[in-house]
């Protein structure tokens, strides 16, 4: 008798892995990532200094140049930041109506994670790891947790 152990089949299909260390992948994604980020910043009514901080502390001159001409190559860190922020934007729009979804990041929040601060202040202070935490929180809420 031959018993073969195997994981049961699943309907889960993993997302296609994107290697952001590959320059050609970053070239492919950079322009659309920046365009998406600037639309998100507009929808959230972010001040330019707040938007620059979310991008990792970008200088004013670079920020305005990027806004005017988003056709450039971004570093892994910046593409990752933008990816988290766009995921946060999407999750908020699934969970809440448009008005609250776009205001949520600038409203004080009593969740233990934020300790009364706004999610924006939390993400600015904590950088990439904080963005990941907010994204996980919202994805969990989206999933009913």
């Amino acid at each position: 008798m031959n018993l073969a152990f195997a994981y049961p089949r699943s309907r889960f299909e993993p997302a296609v892995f994107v290697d952001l260390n590959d320059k050609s992948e970053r070239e492919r994604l950079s322009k659309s990532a920046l365009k998406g980020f600037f639309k998100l910043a507009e929808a959230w009514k972010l001040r330019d200094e707040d938007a620059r901080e979310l991008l990792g502390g970008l200088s004013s001159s670079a920020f305005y140049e990027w806004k005017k001409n988003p056709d450039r190559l971004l570093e892994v860190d910046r593409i990752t930041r933008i990816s988290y922020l766009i995921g946060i934007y999407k999750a908020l729009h699934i969970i809440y109506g448009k008005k609250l979804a776009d205001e949520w990041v600038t409203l004080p929040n009593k969740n233990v994670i934020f300790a009364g601060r706004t999610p924006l202040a939390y993400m600015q202070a904590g950088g990439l790891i904080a963005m990941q935490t907010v994204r996980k929180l919202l994805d969990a809420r989206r999933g009913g947790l």
Side-chain angles (χ1 to χ4, degrees), residues 68-131:
K68 185 173 73 175
N69 179 17
D71 193 9
R72 63 193 61 256
L73 179 65
L74 295 176
E75 308 89 354
V76 172
D77 178 76
R78 292 218 165 94
I79 289 180
T80 305
R81 287 170 177 270
I82 293 170
S83 175
Y84 280 131
L85 293 168
I86 289 173
I88 290 165
Y89 175 89
K90 179 181 175 184
L92 288 169
H93 279 263
I94 290 170
I95 297 168
Y96 304 115
K98 180 178 174 19
K99 183 175 176 5
L100 180 56
D102 289 338
E103 291 177 355
W104 187 85
V105 295
T106 58
L107 298 173
N109 195 308
K110 292 182 181 177
N111 184 299
V112 67
I113 292 170
F114 305 114
R117 294 181 292 178
T118 67
L120 175 62
Y122 173 77
M123 290 187 291
Q124 287 173 319
L128 198 53
I129 300 301
M131 291 175 193

Side-chain angles (χ1 to χ4, degrees), residues 14-97:
V16 176
F17 176 74
V18 176
D19 182 1
L20 293 179
N21 291 308
D22 182 344
K23 184 179 177 185
S24 64
E25 287 292 339
R26 291 196 327 274
E27 286 171 344
R28 181 179 68 83
L29 296 170
S30 290
K31 183 176 182 179
S32 58
L34 273 177
K35 284 183 171 185
F37 173 79
F38 288 122
K39 285 183 180 183
L40 169 152
E42 184 179 326
W44 286 352
K45 297 182 172 90
L46 296 180
R47 298 177 311 161
D48 288 348
E49 61 198 56
D50 293 329
R52 290 186 357 245
E53 190 64 32
L54 288 176
L55 285 172
L58 194 62
S59 71
S60 292
S61 58
F63 178 80
Y64 295 116
E65 176 58 32
W66 290 16
K67 200 171 185 178
K68 185 173 73 175
N69 179 17
D71 193 9
R72 63 193 61 256
L73 179 65
L74 295 176
E75 308 89 354
V76 172
D77 178 76
R78 292 218 165 94
I79 289 180
T80 305
R81 287 170 177 270
I82 293 170
S83 175
Y84 280 131
L85 293 168
I86 289 173
I88 290 165
Y89 175 89
K90 179 181 175 184
L92 288 169
H93 279 263
I94 290 170
I95 297 168
Y96 304 115

